[in-house]
Amino acid sequence: MRFASLGSGSAGNALVVEVNNTRLMLDCGFSIKETTSRLARLNLSPEDLAGVVITHEHDDHAGGAFKFAAAHHIPVWLTYGTLKMAERYFPRQHDLQLNVIDSHTPFSVADVEVYPYPVPHDAREPVQFVFGDGQRRLGVLTDVGRSTVHIEQQLSGCDALVLECNHDSAMLRNGPYAASLKKRVGGEWGHLENAAAADLLARLDRSKLQHLIAAHLSAKNNTPLLAKTALAQTAGCTLDWIGIADQALGFDWRQIS
């Protein structure tokens, strides 16, 4: 089982999970051309994907998903709330293969086990996901305002984690955003800040953890060093062990053994 990122941040998000010959893309906030180009960096083409799973309807996660899926005849999985809010992204004429999921019910796409779980975020019916192959588990958590007991139950014991470190609270407070946007980003339905991500990590069973990636970093209200420092202090590791999901480059394949 392995995973890689096409890019992570407010300008677009996409991540690929691979189990055997099955590859799923999580979210698609890029254009068809850009998504195809970023897949090529991972030696993949759109035809290599078995499906796309969507966390929520915000443009940086779903804005390119439906045109991309329609162009390449790739099925999509999403909650009903996300479906209703994302209809504005549909091509005018399409034959989309849409699969509505329940936010608490696992499902499989060929060899990939998919475990959705609901999260507090300012979207209609947002979910995040844990992916598995029967033995190993990758937990993904971005776009969440605060942790919950249920989130921590889902992410505990994972072999790899992609964890939101959106902002540093002081940088957000003193930064250029309007007051209303600061309130939204820093609120309980917004995005996870570095210290809160570290606190969440501290409450997880990390005994199997092989990979820890900080994701969805704000370009204006965070730095990779601040995110790495917060997580490393909790994980008890060196800074260079913490990965960063970059906006432009994502990150290359990581193997879960």
Side-chain angles (χ1 to χ4, degrees):
M1 180 177 181
R2 63 179 187 164
F3 63 103
S5 170
L6 278 63
S8 178
S10 59
N13 296 270
L15 182 143
V16 178
V17 181
E18 178 183 277
V19 176
N20 299 324
N21 290 319
T22 304
R23 300 170 192 89
L24 284 184
M25 187 161 65
L26 172 63
D27 288 335
C28 182
F30 304 107
S31 68
I32 294 176
K33 181 179 179 180
E34 184 69 17
T35 302
T36 303
S37 174
R38 289 174 182 245
L39 284 170
R41 295 200 308 237
L42 302 174
N43 295 314
L44 294 177
S45 67
E47 292 71 28
D48 292 319
L49 298 175
V52 179
V53 291
I54 305 295
T55 58
H56 64 295
E57 72 271 12
H58 290 165
D59 183 71
D60 57 326
H61 292 264
F66 302 97
K67 290 181 181 178
F68 178 81
H72 297 288
H73 309 288
I74 300 171
V76 177
W77 282 261
L78 72 177
T79 64
Y80 180 76
T82 298
L83 169 63
K84 298 310 292 182
M85 294 300 292
E87 288 177 344
R88 65 186 185 273
Y89 299 128
F90 290 5
R92 288 186 178 180
Q93 293 183 338
H94 64 81
D95 187 24
L96 283 165
Q97 304 172 58
L98 300 173
N99 301 276
V100 175
I101 64 173
D102 178 82
S103 61
H104 292 277
T105 303
F107 61 97
S108 295
V109 180
D111 292 331
V112 182
E113 299 173 352
V114 186
Y115 302 86
Y117 61 95
V119 296
H121 189 55
D122 56 353
R124 178 65 63 86
E125 193 182 358
V127 290
Q128 294 289 318
F129 294 93
V130 173
F131 301 94
D133 66 356
Q135 294 181 310
R136 292 160 286 263
R137 298 168 69 239
L138 162 67
V140 180
L141 178 66
T142 66
D143 295 72
V144 59
R146 58 181 172 83
S147 184
T148 67
V149 172
H150 186 60
I151 288 173
E152 292 160 12
Q153 288 172 342
Q154 299 307 302
L155 298 181
S156 202
C158 282
D159 301 272
L161 285 173
V162 176
L163 181 60
E164 177 169 60
C165 290
N166 177 257
H167 60 277
D168 171 79
S169 58
M171 286 187 69
L172 177 66
R173 183 170 59 251
N174 299 315
Y177 283 4
S180 58
L181 184 55
K182 289 180 181 181
K183 183 176 181 180
R184 173 189 169 267
V185 170
E188 291 195 344
W189 301 92
H191 291 272
L192 210 61
E193 57 107 3
N194 294 339
D199 288 344
L200 186 162
L201 183 66
R203 292 190 288 272
L204 303 182
D205 173 4
R206 305 187 301 279
S207 60
K208 297 180 180 180
L209 197 60
Q210 301 174 33
H211 302 279
L212 179 58
I213 314 289
H216 217 301
L217 274 67
S218 169
K220 295 183 178 180
N221 300 301
N222 208 358
T223 68
L225 179 59
L226 287 172
K228 284 188 172 189
T229 300
L231 296 185
Q233 289 175 346
T234 294
C237 65
T238 59
L239 292 180
D240 59 1
W241 192 77
I242 307 293
I244 294 291
D246 184 74
Q247 179 67 87
L249 299 176
F251 57 82
D252 204 356
W253 289 111
R254 290 201 170 217
Q255 185 76 36
I256 305 175
S257 58

PDB file of all heavy atoms in Angstrom, residues 124-143:
ATOM      1  N   ARG A 124     -21.754  21.179   3.624  1.00  0.00           N
ATOM      2  CA  ARG A 124     -23.084  20.597   3.826  1.00  0.00           C
ATOM      3  C   ARG A 124     -23.041  19.242   4.554  1.00  0.00           C
ATOM      4  O   ARG A 124     -23.779  19.033   5.515  1.00  0.00           O
ATOM      5  CB  ARG A 124     -23.783  20.442   2.474  1.00  0.00           C
ATOM      6  CG  ARG A 124     -25.168  19.786   2.534  1.00  0.00           C
ATOM      7  CD  ARG A 124     -26.181  20.621   3.294  1.00  0.00           C
ATOM      8  NE  ARG A 124     -26.451  21.897   2.675  1.00  0.00           N
ATOM      9  CZ  ARG A 124     -27.355  22.076   1.712  1.00  0.00           C
ATOM     10  NH1 ARG A 124     -28.071  21.065   1.244  1.00  0.00           N
ATOM     11  NH2 ARG A 124     -27.547  23.280   1.207  1.00  0.00           N
ATOM     12  N   GLU A 125     -22.203  18.326   4.095  1.00  0.00           N
ATOM     13  CA  GLU A 125     -22.086  17.010   4.748  1.00  0.00           C
ATOM     14  C   GLU A 125     -20.652  16.499   4.576  1.00  0.00           C
ATOM     15  O   GLU A 125     -20.405  15.507   3.897  1.00  0.00           O
ATOM     16  CB  GLU A 125     -23.086  16.017   4.148  1.00  0.00           C
ATOM     17  CG  GLU A 125     -23.237  14.749   4.955  1.00  0.00           C
ATOM     18  CD  GLU A 125     -24.204  13.752   4.332  1.00  0.00           C
ATOM     19  OE1 GLU A 125     -24.811  14.057   3.276  1.00  0.00           O
ATOM     20  OE2 GLU A 125     -24.349  12.657   4.897  1.00  0.00           O
ATOM     21  N   PRO A 126     -19.685  17.193   5.212  1.00  0.00           N
ATOM     22  CA  PRO A 126     -18.281  16.866   4.987  1.00  0.00           C
ATOM     23  C   PRO A 126     -17.868  15.567   5.679  1.00  0.00           C
ATOM     24  O   PRO A 126     -18.345  15.236   6.763  1.00  0.00           O
ATOM     25  CB  PRO A 126     -17.550  18.060   5.590  1.00  0.00           C
ATOM     26  CG  PRO A 126     -18.461  18.530   6.684  1.00  0.00           C
ATOM     27  CD  PRO A 126     -19.851  18.314   6.160  1.00  0.00           C
ATOM     28  N   VAL A 127     -16.969  14.868   5.022  1.00  0.00           N
ATOM     29  CA  VAL A 127     -16.365  13.670   5.599  1.00  0.00           C
ATOM     30  C   VAL A 127     -14.863  13.700   5.332  1.00  0.00           C
ATOM     31  O   VAL A 127     -14.381  14.433   4.476  1.00  0.00           O
ATOM     32  CB  VAL A 127     -16.950  12.363   5.004  1.00  0.00           C
ATOM     33  CG1 VAL A 127     -18.382  12.148   5.456  1.00  0.00           C
ATOM     34  CG2 VAL A 127     -16.841  12.347   3.490  1.00  0.00           C
ATOM     35  N   GLN A 128     -14.149  12.907   6.094  1.00  0.00           N
ATOM     36  CA  GLN A 128     -12.762  12.587   5.796  1.00  0.00           C
ATOM     37  C   GLN A 128     -12.681  11.062   5.728  1.00  0.00           C
ATOM     38  O   GLN A 128     -13.688  10.371   5.930  1.00  0.00           O
ATOM     39  CB  GLN A 128     -11.830  13.178   6.834  1.00  0.00           C
ATOM     40  CG  GLN A 128     -11.802  14.708   6.844  1.00  0.00           C
ATOM     41  CD  GLN A 128     -11.113  15.298   5.635  1.00  0.00           C
ATOM     42  OE1 GLN A 128     -10.084  14.819   5.194  1.00  0.00           O
ATOM     43  NE2 GLN A 128     -11.676  16.375   5.098  1.00  0.00           N
ATOM     44  N   PHE A 129     -11.501  10.526   5.448  1.00  0.00           N
ATOM     45  CA  PHE A 129     -11.416   9.105   5.142  1.00  0.00           C
ATOM     46  C   PHE A 129     -10.196   8.433   5.766  1.00  0.00           C
ATOM     47  O   PHE A 129      -9.140   9.051   5.902  1.00  0.00           O
ATOM     48  CB  PHE A 129     -11.347   8.884   3.624  1.00  0.00           C
ATOM     49  CG  PHE A 129     -12.581   9.287   2.879  1.00  0.00           C
ATOM     50  CD1 PHE A 129     -12.699  10.554   2.339  1.00  0.00           C
ATOM     51  CD2 PHE A 129     -13.643   8.397   2.734  1.00  0.00           C
ATOM     52  CE1 PHE A 129     -13.840  10.928   1.647  1.00  0.00           C
ATOM     53  CE2 PHE A 129     -14.791   8.768   2.050  1.00  0.00           C
ATOM     54  CZ  PHE A 129     -14.883  10.040   1.503  1.00  0.00           C
ATOM     55  N   VAL A 130     -10.387   7.158   6.089  1.00  0.00           N
ATOM     56  CA  VAL A 130      -9.286   6.234   6.352  1.00  0.00           C
ATOM     57  C   VAL A 130      -9.310   5.205   5.232  1.00  0.00           C
ATOM     58  O   VAL A 130     -10.388   4.712   4.858  1.00  0.00           O
ATOM     59  CB  VAL A 130      -9.426   5.546   7.720  1.00  0.00           C
ATOM     60  CG1 VAL A 130      -8.353   4.466   7.901  1.00  0.00           C
ATOM     61  CG2 VAL A 130      -9.351   6.576   8.852  1.00  0.00           C
ATOM     62  N   PHE A 131      -8.160   4.896   4.681  1.00  0.00           N
ATOM     63  CA  PHE A 131      -8.037   3.908   3.604  1.00  0.00           C
ATOM     64  C   PHE A 131      -7.244   2.716   4.112  1.00  0.00           C
ATOM     65  O   PHE A 131      -6.292   2.882   4.878  1.00  0.00           O
ATOM     66  CB  PHE A 131      -7.324   4.521   2.392  1.00  0.00           C
ATOM     67  CG  PHE A 131      -8.018   5.718   1.818  1.00  0.00           C
ATOM     68  CD1 PHE A 131      -7.667   6.991   2.222  1.00  0.00           C
ATOM     69  CD2 PHE A 131      -9.035   5.567   0.888  1.00  0.00           C
ATOM     70  CE1 PHE A 131      -8.305   8.115   1.695  1.00  0.00           C
ATOM     71  CE2 PHE A 131      -9.682   6.676   0.359  1.00  0.00           C
ATOM     72  CZ  PHE A 131      -9.316   7.948   0.764  1.00  0.00           C
ATOM     73  N   GLY A 132      -7.626   1.513   3.667  1.00  0.00           N
ATOM     74  CA  GLY A 132      -6.930   0.331   4.139  1.00  0.00           C
ATOM     75  C   GLY A 132      -6.813  -0.745   3.088  1.00  0.00           C
ATOM     76  O   GLY A 132      -7.466  -0.701   2.032  1.00  0.00           O
ATOM     77  N   ASP A 133      -5.962  -1.730   3.394  1.00  0.00           N
ATOM     78  CA  ASP A 133      -5.798  -2.890   2.514  1.00  0.00           C
ATOM     79  C   ASP A 133      -6.060  -4.198   3.254  1.00  0.00           C
ATOM     80  O   ASP A 133      -5.731  -5.267   2.766  1.00  0.00           O
ATOM     81  CB  ASP A 133      -4.394  -2.911   1.905  1.00  0.00           C
ATOM     82  CG  ASP A 133      -3.290  -3.137   2.945  1.00  0.00           C
ATOM     83  OD1 ASP A 133      -3.595  -3.210   4.160  1.00  0.00           O
ATOM     84  OD2 ASP A 133      -2.120  -3.250   2.547  1.00  0.00           O
ATOM     85  N   GLY A 134      -6.683  -4.104   4.426  1.00  0.00           N
ATOM     86  CA  GLY A 134      -6.935  -5.282   5.242  1.00  0.00           C
ATOM     87  C   GLY A 134      -5.948  -5.450   6.370  1.00  0.00           C
ATOM     88  O   GLY A 134      -6.253  -6.092   7.380  1.00  0.00           O
ATOM     89  N   GLN A 135      -4.767  -4.860   6.226  1.00  0.00           N
ATOM     90  CA  GLN A 135      -3.744  -4.923   7.267  1.00  0.00           C
ATOM     91  C   GLN A 135      -3.226  -3.547   7.653  1.00  0.00           C
ATOM     92  O   GLN A 135      -2.976  -3.279   8.826  1.00  0.00           O
ATOM     93  CB  GLN A 135      -2.567  -5.789   6.796  1.00  0.00           C
ATOM     94  CG  GLN A 135      -2.912  -7.260   6.598  1.00  0.00           C
ATOM     95  CD  GLN A 135      -1.693  -8.057   6.162  1.00  0.00           C
ATOM     96  OE1 GLN A 135      -0.991  -7.683   5.223  1.00  0.00           O
ATOM     97  NE2 GLN A 135      -1.440  -9.158   6.849  1.00  0.00           N
ATOM     98  N   ARG A 136      -3.060  -2.678   6.680  1.00  0.00           N
ATOM     99  CA  ARG A 136      -2.495  -1.358   6.911  1.00  0.00           C
ATOM    100  C   ARG A 136      -3.557  -0.280   6.695  1.00  0.00           C
ATOM    101  O   ARG A 136      -4.478  -0.472   5.898  1.00  0.00           O
ATOM    102  CB  ARG A 136      -1.297  -1.126   5.986  1.00  0.00           C
ATOM    103  CG  ARG A 136      -0.093  -2.013   6.323  1.00  0.00           C
ATOM    104  CD  ARG A 136       0.851  -2.132   5.154  1.00  0.00           C
ATOM    105  NE  ARG A 136       0.300  -3.003   4.141  1.00  0.00           N
ATOM    106  CZ  ARG A 136       0.612  -4.293   4.023  1.00  0.00           C
ATOM    107  NH1 ARG A 136       1.448  -4.844   4.867  1.00  0.00           N
ATOM    108  NH2 ARG A 136       0.063  -5.032   3.063  1.00  0.00           N
ATOM    109  N   ARG A 137      -3.376   0.874   7.380  1.00  0.00           N
ATOM    110  CA  ARG A 137      -4.364   1.935   7.308  1.00  0.00           C
ATOM    111  C   ARG A 137      -3.701   3.300   7.159  1.00  0.00           C
ATOM    112  O   ARG A 137      -2.738   3.611   7.870  1.00  0.00           O
ATOM    113  CB  ARG A 137      -5.249   1.933   8.564  1.00  0.00           C
ATOM    114  CG  ARG A 137      -6.057   0.663   8.755  1.00  0.00           C
ATOM    115  CD  ARG A 137      -6.674   0.574  10.127  1.00  0.00           C
ATOM    116  NE  ARG A 137      -7.724   1.556  10.329  1.00  0.00           N
ATOM    117  CZ  ARG A 137      -7.711   2.490  11.286  1.00  0.00           C
ATOM    118  NH1 ARG A 137      -6.689   2.573  12.108  1.00  0.00           N
ATOM    119  NH2 ARG A 137      -8.726   3.331  11.403  1.00  0.00           N
ATOM    120  N   LEU A 138      -4.231   4.080   6.233  1.00  0.00           N
ATOM    121  CA  LEU A 138      -3.833   5.472   6.036  1.00  0.00           C
ATOM    122  C   LEU A 138      -4.972   6.365   6.476  1.00  0.00           C
ATOM    123  O   LEU A 138      -6.084   6.275   5.939  1.00  0.00           O
ATOM    124  CB  LEU A 138      -3.512   5.725   4.559  1.00  0.00           C
ATOM    125  CG  LEU A 138      -3.494   7.192   4.094  1.00  0.00           C
ATOM    126  CD1 LEU A 138      -2.338   7.955   4.740  1.00  0.00           C
ATOM    127  CD2 LEU A 138      -3.436   7.280   2.576  1.00  0.00           C
ATOM    128  N   GLY A 139      -4.719   7.238   7.431  1.00  0.00           N
ATOM    129  CA  GLY A 139      -5.729   8.184   7.879  1.00  0.00           C
ATOM    130  C   GLY A 139      -5.486   9.562   7.295  1.00  0.00           C
ATOM    131  O   GLY A 139      -4.343  10.046   7.288  1.00  0.00           O
ATOM    132  N   VAL A 140      -6.546  10.186   6.793  1.00  0.00           N
ATOM    133  CA  VAL A 140      -6.451  11.531   6.222  1.00  0.00           C
ATOM    134  C   VAL A 140      -7.427  12.444   6.965  1.00  0.00           C
ATOM    135  O   VAL A 140      -8.607  12.113   7.110  1.00  0.00           O
ATOM    136  CB  VAL A 140      -6.780  11.522   4.717  1.00  0.00           C
ATOM    137  CG1 VAL A 140      -6.663  12.939   4.143  1.00  0.00           C
ATOM    138  CG2 VAL A 140      -5.859  10.565   3.959  1.00  0.00           C
ATOM    139  N   LEU A 141      -6.930  13.594   7.396  1.00  0.00           N
ATOM    140  CA  LEU A 141      -7.780  14.584   8.063  1.00  0.00           C
ATOM    141  C   LEU A 141      -7.333  15.976   7.647  1.00  0.00           C
ATOM    142  O   LEU A 141      -6.278  16.453   8.055  1.00  0.00           O
ATOM    143  CB  LEU A 141      -7.693  14.449   9.585  1.00  0.00           C
ATOM    144  CG  LEU A 141      -8.515  15.471  10.379  1.00  0.00           C
ATOM    145  CD1 LEU A 141     -10.007  15.266  10.159  1.00  0.00           C
ATOM    146  CD2 LEU A 141      -8.194  15.395  11.869  1.00  0.00           C
ATOM    147  N   THR A 142      -8.123  16.618   6.795  1.00  0.00           N
ATOM    148  CA  THR A 142      -7.925  18.032   6.479  1.00  0.00           C
ATOM    149  C   THR A 142      -9.293  18.709   6.560  1.00  0.00           C
ATOM    150  O   THR A 142     -10.314  18.048   6.661  1.00  0.00           O
ATOM    151  CB  THR A 142      -7.352  18.237   5.061  1.00  0.00           C
ATOM    152  OG1 THR A 142      -8.314  17.812   4.083  1.00  0.00           O
ATOM    153  CG2 THR A 142      -6.059  17.457   4.870  1.00  0.00           C
ATOM    154  N   ASP A 143      -9.297  20.033   6.562  1.00  0.00           N
ATOM    155  CA  ASP A 143     -10.569  20.778   6.563  1.00  0.00           C
ATOM    156  C   ASP A 143     -11.459  20.383   7.726  1.00  0.00           C
ATOM    157  O   ASP A 143     -12.549  19.850   7.561  1.00  0.00           O
ATOM    158  CB  ASP A 143     -11.291  20.584   5.225  1.00  0.00           C
ATOM    159  CG  ASP A 143     -10.514  21.189   4.077  1.00  0.00           C
ATOM    160  OD1 ASP A 143      -9.465  20.624   3.703  1.00  0.00           O
ATOM    161  OD2 ASP A 143     -10.935  22.237   3.569  1.00  0.00           O
TER     162      ASP A 143
END
